[in-house]
Amino acid sequence: MMTAEHQRLAVNASKAIPLVQWGPYLSERQWGTVREDESASGDAWNYCGHDLARSRAYRWGEDGLAGICDDRQILCFALALWNGQDPVLKERLFGLTNGEGNHGEDVKEYYFYLDSTPTHSYMKYLYKYPQAAFPYANLVDTSRGRSRNEFEYELLDTGVFEEDRYFDVVVEYAKESAEDMLIQISIHNRGPEPVELHVLPTLWFRNQWSWQPGTERPSVQQIEAPSGAQGHSLRGRGEGVRGVSVAKAVDAKLGERYLYCDGDVPLLFTENETNTQRIFGVPNRTPYVKDGINNYVVHGQQDAVNPEKKGTKVAAHYRLTIKPGECRTIRPPFSSGPQRRGQPVQRFRRRYGSAAQGGR
């Protein structure tokens, strides 16, 4: 029997721009790898560790939560979260380096790849995010103190998930075409109390211009929503039609891409440039650096993001208070052109049905 996915595979083989041009090609972890090691001693673990990853612009790749990118990794999309307790944004997975774990390197997170078709026409990912402060130091210190003959110390062992005080964050991608897709983020509060969560869908360019002379610098900037583009309520809250915040990304090779964010949400802009002041004690060549959005959200540094609403990295800043047992949903369509037909979410629902509805 020829399924819809079999048909997509057959058509895809003859396309100039195949469906697989965009997919789950973003690394889970770029920090602490030989790919980013430029140390004289070859100490990849410490040259660019987790603590430095938010501030150092990678050279050979990118990483992120539930991330996607094009097949040349020019433009990337991933999710960042902040529970109001952590010392940093949750932008990437945390784990132990080879010298920190009693059995070597080990990721200390709970995340699940739930679904993906061969053409990546539909993808689904689940991440479990604690509502209390993430126990970074506890995981490192306890693991270092254990011998090879003892069990590994896991995130669940820290007690951070007690009383189900965590969020289930489900990220889904559904493609309408090779370069147009719905991104749906559903956040479930599994805990017993209302909790605020900062949700930051993030779009950025991999930094190639710093290492490849003559590379034209790409750009992301906020633009007015095209005529006919309409926002939608955050599911579970009962709001009516709202505005749309639009980020336009432009690259000489990739062309134009547009990210549509419901609800007149603030867009935070910075540059995917190394914070040399933090890492090397050398003044930054730009006032807006890779960790600028982190510093704005977590530390309240108002001058850390560009007030001119442009850069090479942008995040939509949603602040959601989610009741116990409630699910809130954000749907930012991602497109190769202006959405002038309005209501892109409804078009995706007609095409994919329940696949674009979210769920537990």
Side-chain angles (χ1 to χ4, degrees), residues 114-146:
L114 300 180
D115 203 352
S116 185
T117 60
T119 59
H120 310 309
S121 59
Y122 178 73
M123 298 169 278
K124 188 174 184 180
Y125 176 100
L126 168 64
Y127 176 69
K128 293 182 177 290
Y129 186 41
Q131 295 173 1
F134 196 92
Y136 292 105
N138 183 4
L139 287 165
V140 173
D141 294 342
T142 304
S143 297
R144 276 177 170 165
R146 292 196 173 187

Side-chain angles (χ1 to χ4, degrees), residues 125-182:
Y125 176 100
L126 168 64
Y127 176 69
K128 293 182 177 290
Y129 186 41
Q131 295 173 1
F134 196 92
Y136 292 105
N138 183 4
L139 287 165
V140 173
D141 294 342
T142 304
S143 297
R144 276 177 170 165
R146 292 196 173 187
S147 70
R148 293 184 179 181
N149 297 324
E150 295 178 274
F151 288 114
E152 295 175 1
Y153 187 59
E154 304 294 356
L155 183 58
L156 195 63
D157 298 329
T158 68
V160 76
F161 288 104
E162 289 183 0
E163 298 183 298
D164 291 334
R165 294 181 182 271
Y166 68 94
F167 298 102
D168 270 340
V169 182
V170 180
V171 182
E172 296 171 272
Y173 299 91
K175 294 181 182 178
E176 186 180 39
S177 68
E179 300 187 277
D180 300 280
M181 71 182 78
L182 171 69

